[in-house]
Amino acid sequence: MKVLVLGAAGQIGQMVTNNLLEQTDDDLVLYGHNVSQRLKNFKSSRVTFVNGDFLEFDKVRTAAEGVDAAYLSFVAKPEIITGVIDALDKADVKRFIAANVPDLYQEVSGPFQTWYRQNTGLTWQTDLKKSADLVEASDLDYVILRITWLYNQENNTKIHISEKGEPLTEAQVTRQAVAQFVVDLLTNKADYHRANLGLGEPNTQF
């Protein structure tokens, strides 16, 4: 399999890349600003670097040629999502995993709700909701990840998944858990298709 990681230089993008190289035989295309230098530690016969901006859609399309699945490790607004979806469609990519944020459907519940809305606003009234709508309206086999507050803790891959329409009550999740879940989605160890998922850590309290 061949996987395109868009926004590969971010923390989760790098973790996904590392996990894919360690756990699979997949070939990777790493896309982002100056990734050939920023991610040179990943250089191998299995890795292709494409230096580019998210708005360079022709370059995204070229990077996606021959790719089976793409992961967007960046919470993108509609103008980017529209172009990326079109580029993936033209390159005949079928599987798309996209990062987004919670409360697109007023689903954040429990003690976390007050803090989250005070600090992020009403996300269901923002362009990020439109981004999710665009992905859901596409022909791609998508998974949208509504990822709650992130932190790092080595080897902590505990994760709780809530589907669209269910409350999201967890206040945090590790980047390590998100990265491993993305890899599990790409390798079909986590069997979700055309799904909109909230990610948190089990039993976390705010």
Side-chain angles (χ1 to χ4, degrees):
M1 189 168 84
K2 191 172 185 179
V3 175
L4 170 63
V5 182
L6 296 160
Q11 288 189 63
I12 295 176
Q14 291 190 52
M15 290 176 186
V16 168
T17 298
N18 185 69
N19 288 357
L20 285 169
L21 289 172
E22 288 187 350
Q23 298 172 26
T24 76
D25 295 322
D26 295 348
D27 292 322
L28 307 182
V29 180
L30 305 183
Y31 186 100
H33 293 290
N34 199 25
V35 288
S36 59
Q37 286 300 310
R38 295 169 69 190
L39 302 181
K40 59 186 177 182
N41 55 308
F42 288 124
K43 186 176 180 180
S44 80
S45 60
R46 292 168 55 197
V47 174
T48 300
F49 297 106
V50 180
N51 298 313
D53 185 272
F54 287 119
L55 290 170
E56 294 180 273
F57 300 126
D58 287 342
K59 193 174 282 189
V60 173
R61 179 185 174 182
T62 300
E65 292 292 341
V67 163
D68 300 289
Y71 167 53
L72 178 60
S73 186
F74 174 78
V75 179
K77 291 191 174 181
E79 56 268 28
I80 291 175
I81 287 290
T82 300
V84 167
I85 288 172
D86 182 63
L88 296 180
D89 277 337
K90 288 176 178 174
D92 202 29
V93 177
K94 302 301 183 190
R95 183 80 159 151
F96 182 42
I97 300 168
N100 210 310
V101 298
D103 225 19
L104 299 181
Y105 312 100
Q106 303 182 55
E107 79 277 14
V108 172
S109 306
F112 182 44
Q113 183 189 82
T114 299
W115 180 91
Y116 185 80
R117 291 180 182 175
Q118 284 175 347
N119 285 274
T120 64
L122 307 181
T123 58
W124 62 89
Q125 296 179 3
T126 69
D127 281 348
L128 298 181
K129 170 65 165 57
K130 295 177 185 176
S131 292
D133 291 343
L134 287 165
V135 175
E136 290 189 315
S138 75
D139 293 327
L140 296 166
D141 178 12
Y142 68 83
V143 179
I144 297 168
L145 303 178
R146 290 173 281 116
I147 306 166
T148 189
W149 175 60
L150 290 158
Y151 73 106
N152 288 331
Q153 187 177 86
E154 205 65 38
N155 300 317
N156 182 357
T157 56
K158 297 177 183 175
I159 200 161
H160 177 246
I161 301 158
S162 56
E163 299 198 43
K164 184 178 178 180
E166 297 177 347
L168 192 152
T169 59
E170 289 83 18
Q172 59 189 18
V173 68
T174 67
R175 291 180 178 88
Q176 288 82 358
V178 174
Q180 185 58 55
F181 185 64
V182 170
V183 172
D184 290 346
L185 287 169
L186 291 168
T187 58
N188 292 316
K189 292 178 183 175
D191 189 23
Y192 288 94
H193 299 274
R194 295 191 65 81
N196 189 325
L197 308 176
L199 302 186
E201 186 175 319
N203 303 317
T204 57
Q205 299 294 319
F206 183 72

